[in-house]
Amino acid sequence: MRGDPVVPSRPTRIAATSHSIKEFHLDELHIRHRSRRHQRQSGRLMNGLGLDLGFWNGSVLQGASVPALLIRRPLSFVKAIPNEYNGGAGLGAGNTAVGGTCHYPIYDDVTDGSFEVRFWHGAATAAQGEWNTGGTMTVACSLIWVDNSGALQITVLNGAGSVPSCDPFQETVHRHPGVRGKVGSHAWLNYSASFTNSGYYSHGRADYAQGEALQYGASVPNLVGSATFYGNTWNGGGDFWGPSFFGWSGGTLTRPTFGISGDSNHSDLLTTSSVQADIPDTLQGAPGAVNRLFVPNMAGIDVSIPGAYSSEAADPSKYVYRDRMLKGRCDVFVPALGTNGIIFQGRTEAQEEADIAAYIARLGFSQVFVPTIPPVVTSAASNTILNSGNGRDVIRRARNTTLRGRSNTIDIAMGTESGVAPGTLQFLADTIEGTHFNATGNKRAAAGTGFDVPTKIAGASAVDVGYRYPSGALYQSLGLSGWSTQQSVLTANQAYSPEHKITASIIKEDATAAAQHNAYVQQTIALASTTKKITAFVKRQVGSRNAQIQAQQNGGSYLSSRVWVNLGTGVVTLVEQSAGTVSGMTSTLTADGFWKVEFNVAFSAGHPASSLLYVKLADATGSDTFNGDNTSSIAVWGFDIR
């Protein structure tokens, strides 16, 4: 795709030494029996690995069956394919050691001890097909995760059935029967990998905000088994490499999963100006319109790569291992292709239809959804159809008209394309450089589809992966990092928080009598003559204390505005409003037992630049002065002013 750039230079590259095609591990092909009733759900009875493919009629795949059996199922959104080619050398000579941290929210309950992670010794690049760097790949990894009690665990994945080394085009396997993550919680995978020649990577794929990182060189630290995340060798534009599979291989299959194969608008990329196109801004960590649409309800595997096009996807020899990463692992398939073929390669609508049909038939999914093709304009500064004289956009629009007449279409173009001047954008700010959409554009595209995932896909339902504040805070401290205490002890990152991580802090009172027991911070914030909303999440940890939340002038008469919340009932009561009038006091109980306490303060004109912010323990009457018992504590997360 135009805009899939030559990436910033790496160390000297070496050519790949092996391009042989080998099978995955044999356990990938193990068959588990299902009842005849379950086998008939797709309309046909399957035998072993035989696929009844039916035919593609442009609307649904008639008579098709889910490929083989769902042998293993992803537990999260998996970015499965590294793509940066560099002459087949990946990271290049000298970069034989790779370490990284990858982030995964947990979508399902692994009840049978079959959790596993896989790494693929291979990569894929548009026009190059699948390739590898040769030699042997060896991987060790560990999982930082939250169990069902809300406690943090660190588990090295070296249980029975693990296969730490593999040849090109195979996968390493990493298992542990003790891993059973709390549904909706977040996990991080630390891995250390060594290669005979060089490792792999992609640009534009990492979710740095959630701790993802890629470190490489002749050696890297071994952080397997550690709670410490890896750092980045290069901090620009989302360097990423991670597992080809993160999930489980048995048990009751409770939730449907999706597989997507698309281009750079779905896989993300680093533009020629070294800008990450779509920076993930949700706790699910997925870029692209279709991924953003699906991940609130489903885990999935993304085998998209920048520059992908339908005629290559129609060639089974170019997609051998990507096919295997989807078949037997996902229920629903989304071939999100068409931009490169029609706009940049001159393919006709009939050719695009035939290519997509061949791709769908080969995979054999019974439920397939095909996205429309979004418009491409000349640049982020000019809302003009790219190469309008060559008729490519006319074909794109005709293709979209055809797709809109079918029941299995995801109309991602509807939310971004101008209805007044078709082929242009509703909002030019949705694009990075005319071809690729940013996070705002992809969110608008997803919202504009009118596609309700739980309605369209049986068994799909929202997974609560935690609360994330929108951007725009004047001041924010999620875990009270750097806060001081009075007659109390603050322990950071100690409890399960509303963002479903172990990031809530505990404030425990000491035994001082007739004293305040609190945590506080001094901050320079422009509050004078403004009205701000103060929010904090608070709950009882040990004992039956309540809480006060306070903003105070740091100087002068030390005037303050504060409320107290009964952590048993959620009732919020005004205590004082000398620093500014308090209004809008509310509390909302979260599923995790925290009260989300909010109130507004209209700060006075004389409020100094320096403020003191407090979270205090309070007694049964709401008073912040009482005899400490050296036991009672509260959990706090997400102090926010905006």
Side-chain angles (χ1 to χ4, degrees), residues 104-434:
Y104 299 98
I106 304 298
Y107 281 67
D108 213 335
D109 189 7
V110 181
T111 59
D112 68 342
S114 65
F115 175 79
E116 71 174 39
V117 171
R118 291 172 173 245
F119 286 81
W120 183 46
H121 189 353
T125 305
Q128 302 293 337
E130 293 166 342
W131 52 275
N132 63 77
T133 59
T136 301
M137 178 180 77
T138 300
V139 180
C141 58
S142 59
L143 193 70
I144 306 165
W145 58 286
V146 179
D147 67 21
N148 281 291
S149 74
L152 185 69
Q153 305 288 341
I154 301 176
T155 303
V156 177
L157 303 179
N158 58 1
S162 296
V163 182
S165 297
C166 71
D167 293 330
F169 287 142
Q170 292 201 18
E171 290 177 311
T172 62
V173 182
H174 312 271
R175 295 172 173 160
H176 197 286
V179 174
R180 184 183 178 185
K182 183 180 178 71
V183 175
S185 69
H186 294 257
W188 288 264
L189 187 79
N190 269 1
Y191 68 82
S192 177
S194 61
F195 295 83
T196 301
N197 297 319
S198 64
Y200 304 96
Y201 74 109
S202 296
H203 277 315
R205 301 231 74 188
D207 186 358
Y208 286 164
Q210 299 304 319
E212 292 192 331
L214 181 67
Q215 195 166 344
Y216 53 87
S219 64
V220 297
N222 183 6
L223 299 180
V224 174
S226 168
T228 302
F229 290 179
Y230 278 90
N232 287 304
T233 297
W234 185 63
N235 283 307
D239 262 10
F240 181 81
W241 183 66
S244 55
F245 181 75
F246 179 97
W248 58 325
S249 58
T252 304
L253 307 180
T254 60
R255 300 182 62 87
T257 58
F258 74 97
I260 179 172
S261 179
D263 55 32
S264 52
N265 260 325
H266 304 281
S267 65
D268 208 13
L269 86 166
L270 192 69
T271 68
T272 49
S273 56
S274 293
V275 176
Q276 193 172 348
D278 179 0
I279 299 174
D281 57 357
T282 67
L283 288 171
Q284 294 93 345
V290 172
N291 290 327
R292 287 176 177 275
L293 179 67
F294 273 72
V295 293
N297 302 280
M298 300 171 69
I301 299 175
D302 187 355
V303 300
S304 304
I305 59 169
Y309 50 92
S310 303
S311 57
E312 185 175 44
D315 181 352
S317 70
K318 298 291 181 66
Y319 272 68
V320 174
Y321 299 97
R322 281 171 284 183
D323 286 359
R324 292 204 177 177
M325 288 174 187
L326 300 182
K327 292 199 294 186
R329 300 182 182 184
C330 302
D331 305 271
V332 175
F333 178 50
V334 183
L337 300 164
T339 301
N340 290 306
I342 288 178
I343 299 298
F344 300 113
Q345 295 181 338
R347 304 285 286 179
T348 67
E349 183 186 358
Q351 289 171 324
E352 190 68 22
E353 173 82 355
D355 292 338
I356 292 293
Y359 192 17
I360 292 170
R362 184 176 78 242
L363 289 178
F365 283 86
S366 61
Q367 197 160 22
V368 178
F369 296 98
V370 182
T372 53
I373 304 169
V376 178
V377 298
T378 53
S379 73
S382 178
N383 199 0
T384 305
I385 297 172
L386 179 69
N387 298 330
S388 58
N390 65 11
R392 296 286 93 211
D393 192 69
V394 174
I395 296 173
R396 180 194 66 84
R397 281 179 271 161
R399 174 66 175 160
N400 285 352
T401 298
T402 298
L403 292 174
R404 285 168 179 151
R406 299 171 179 171
S407 62
N408 68 322
T409 297
I410 304 174
D411 198 352
I412 61 172
M414 181 64 70
T416 56
E417 187 167 4
S418 170
V420 177
T424 64
L425 297 174
Q426 292 184 44
F427 304 96
L428 193 55
D430 285 352
T431 184
I432 292 291
E433 26 61 301

Side-chain angles (χ1 to χ4, degrees), residues 467 469 498 535-539 590 594-597 635-639:
Y467 179 82
Y469 278 107
T535 304
F537 291 77
V538 192
K539 76 171 183 176
T590 73
F594 281 81
W595 290 101
K596 181 185 181 185
V597 182
V636 185
W637 179 84
F639 196 105

Side-chain angles (χ1 to χ4, degrees), residues 470-532:
S471 60
L474 184 64
Y475 169 79
Q476 185 179 95
S477 179
L478 298 182
L480 309 191
S481 175
W483 284 43
S484 302
T485 59
Q486 292 176 320
Q487 289 73 245
S488 63
V489 176
L490 173 67
T491 307
N493 301 322
Q494 189 70 16
Y496 194 66
S497 75
E499 65 173 345
H500 294 185
K501 305 171 185 177
I502 308 299
T503 50
S505 293
I506 304 298
I507 307 174
K508 176 189 166 186
E509 65 189 55
D510 67 12
T512 306
Q516 294 187 15
H517 308 267
N518 60 58
Y520 71 96
V521 68
Q522 182 275 322
Q523 281 292 309
T524 300
I525 316 173
L527 296 177
S529 300
T530 67
T531 298
K532 301 301 181 188

